[in-house]
Amino acid sequence: MNKTNKTEFKILGISIWKICTYFIIYSFFGYVIETLFAIITMGTWECRQSFLYGPFLGIYGVGAVLIILFAQYFNKNNFRLFLGGYIIGTITEYIVSFGTEVIVGTRWWDYSDKILNINGRVCLVYSI
């Protein structure tokens, strides 16, 4: 029997299939958490539109995948891991916000009325 050498495509050591799975899972749970947050804090069901169809918020999937990919460089120290995840998540949110405004022409979120925001795109403190 001849064994074939099956190579698997990886990004930074992680299988592309795992990356896709992480994207789907975190996009879905991001949708669920944001929807529940809106129901609890505002008492209303809000449309959580994304660049994806269905109950998915791609910003969470993109952010989670990037944090998972790059966390391996910070995992020796819990503080560095936290700080690295914070920085990667913040940069991802800013870039996605800016990109959607430029490409799609809409702004899906705006933190301008919150303290410690950067151009209304990201915010350190979200006050209810």
Side-chain angles (χ1 to χ4, degrees):
M1 179 182 241
N2 188 1
K3 286 187 176 181
T4 58
N5 187 7
K6 187 177 174 184
T7 58
E8 187 174 351
F9 183 69
K10 294 183 176 188
I11 298 175
L12 296 176
I14 300 177
S15 159
I16 190 70
W17 297 111
K18 278 189 178 182
I19 291 171
C20 290
T21 302
Y22 289 138
F23 177 81
I24 292 167
I25 289 169
Y26 284 99
S27 293
F28 174 75
F29 281 111
Y31 173 85
V32 170
I33 290 168
E34 281 221 7
T35 300
L36 291 175
F37 181 78
I39 291 170
I40 292 167
T41 60
M42 296 178 273
T44 183
W45 182 283
E46 285 190 342
C47 175
R48 297 291 176 180
Q49 186 175 358
S50 174
F51 58 88
L52 302 170
Y53 289 108
F56 303 101
L57 286 176
I59 181 72
Y60 289 97
V62 170
V65 165
L66 289 174
I67 289 170
I68 289 166
L69 287 172
F70 291 105
Q72 59 192 328
Y73 300 109
F74 304 111
N75 67 0
K76 303 281 189 233
N77 176 298
N78 286 340
F79 178 73
R80 284 180 49 194
L81 181 62
F82 171 79
L83 192 61
Y86 170 78
I87 291 169
I88 292 167
T90 300
I91 291 170
T92 301
E93 184 175 16
Y94 192 93
I95 290 172
V96 169
S97 174
F98 182 78
T100 55
E101 187 171 354
V102 169
I103 294 168
V104 182
T106 61
R107 199 162 193 182
W108 286 338
W109 61 86
D110 187 2
Y111 300 118
S112 296
D113 61 335
K114 310 292 184 222
I115 61 169
L116 302 175
N117 76 80
I118 303 173
N119 298 328
R121 300 185 188 288
V122 293
C123 181
L124 180 61
V125 178
Y126 185 87
S127 55
I128 299 171

